[in-house]
Amino acid sequence: MTIQQAQYLISSPDYTKCPKPDRPEYAFIGRSNVGKSSLINMLCDNHKLAKTSSSPGKTQLINHFEIRSASGKHNDISHWYLVDLPGYGFAKVSQTQRKQWEKMIEDYLRKRENLVNVFVLIDSRHSPQKLDLEFLNQLGIWQIPFCLVFTKADKETQKEVSKNVKAFLDAMRKTWQFLPQHFVTSAVKKMGRDKILQFIEACNSEVKAG
Ligand code: GTP
Ligand code: MG
């Protein structure tokens, strides 16, 4: 699959204000500063598309990006949405802001009818974090399909990354019978791009086939 066009569409304060749910949608979520916006830019090959920042809490609304891609022998065109969500676990926000975030995200995840898959980003430099595992359990309770994306793989040795990925999956095994698909990525080295795009392509065809 090749991305032919990727452009910012709109930022919405809640799911009711989001664009018409008339095409497949993929959302990116994870702790603040984990690299969601950078990953979206890497996938779309445009480092200016989603705003990134070294200070956490940059992304605060539900941000839609409109994508046009071509795939297969006949270069079939697909239109779909990528969504950049604000990060969780940002220490400097007030209790009220945190509650607002939780409500916005829960409503979006549970009620957005065209949401096909959620990519949950995990920092590959760390051992399993309770906050991430709890968030996944919540997705499980809500029955929302998701994959894992281990980010910033260029910042550690391959050995360290593999160790952390394994530890995370092992931690999940304690509560999950089946493990989700996972990707290891680096926005800097463009690692993991093809696999994620292939995954999205496969999901898009399933949606088309109904
Ligand atoms: P919020 O919107 O604040 O929740 O953050 P975010 O998850 O969107 O993170 P963002 O993409 O803004 O990246 C945070 C910081 O990590 C930035 O300084 C990025 O340059 C850096 N970063 C993101 N991905 C990678 C990566 O794969 N490798 C390296 N080395 N740095 C990365
Ligand atoms: Mg961001």
Side-chain angles (χ1 to χ4, degrees):
M1 177 167 79
T2 52
I3 306 280
Q4 292 189 322
Q5 197 179 29
Q7 61 187 26
Y8 167 76
L9 184 63
I10 195 172
S11 299
S12 323
D14 69 76
Y15 86 99
T16 60
K17 310 276 189 327
C18 288
K20 212 167 120 201
D22 59 358
R23 51 188 87 173
E25 181 159 311
Y26 303 87
F28 292 76
I29 197 163
R31 291 177 92 107
S32 201
N33 213 240
V34 69
K36 299 172 290 292
S37 303
S38 304
L39 181 70
I40 287 177
N41 291 346
M42 185 268 265
L43 293 175
C44 298
D45 208 9
N46 177 350
H47 68 279
K48 287 189 185 151
L49 193 63
K51 288 195 190 77
T52 64
S53 164
S54 53
S55 48
K58 179 74 194 167
T59 311
Q60 299 203 336
L61 297 162
I62 303 169
N63 301 292
H64 274 78
F65 297 89
E66 238 179 340
I67 317 291
R68 187 181 76 210
S69 64
S71 56
K73 266 193 288 194
H74 306 291
N75 270 341
D76 293 326
I77 303 296
S78 299
H79 293 272
W80 41 285
Y81 288 130
L82 279 185
V83 172
D84 192 9
L85 293 169
Y88 53 80
F90 182 35
K92 284 188 192 152
V93 302
S94 65
Q95 194 70 4
T96 324
Q97 259 181 304
R98 188 164 305 162
K99 283 265 172 304
Q100 261 174 8
W101 182 92
E102 283 174 5
K103 173 97 178 82
M104 173 175 90
I105 297 298
E106 175 173 351
D107 282 350
Y108 167 79
L109 293 172
R110 298 182 76 176
K111 297 179 183 169
R112 183 73 176 153
E113 51 198 279
N114 59 332
L115 183 61
V116 175
N117 185 68
V118 178
F119 291 92
V120 182
L121 278 62
I122 310 287
D123 194 323
S124 71
R125 295 173 297 174
H126 306 313
S127 53
Q129 306 283 305
K130 200 170 151 214
L131 195 61
D132 291 324
L133 291 161
E134 281 174 357
F135 181 73
L136 297 182
N137 287 339
Q138 197 61 63
L139 287 181
I141 292 167
W142 295 335
Q143 299 193 308
I144 293 166
F146 68 90
C147 298
L148 300 176
V149 179
F150 294 93
T151 62
K152 306 192 184 183
D154 60 284
K155 286 201 166 198
E156 292 286 349
T157 59
Q158 213 182 327
K159 196 172 160 199
E160 184 67 19
V161 168
S162 303
K163 191 187 90 183
N164 291 336
V165 170
K166 185 176 179 304
F168 194 91
L169 296 175
D170 285 344
M172 275 191 83
R173 274 193 192 92
K174 290 182 188 150
T175 47
W176 292 79
Q177 190 182 1
F178 300 105
L179 294 182
Q181 187 157 348
H182 73 273
F183 304 93
V184 178
T185 64
S186 158
V188 174
K189 294 194 168 170
K190 298 207 164 218
M191 175 184 174
R193 182 175 189 268
D194 292 350
K195 286 197 175 135
I196 293 181
L197 291 182
Q198 269 167 28
F199 176 85
I200 292 175
E201 182 179 12
C203 292
N204 281 343
S205 342
E206 265 181 50
V207 173
K208 262 187 199 164

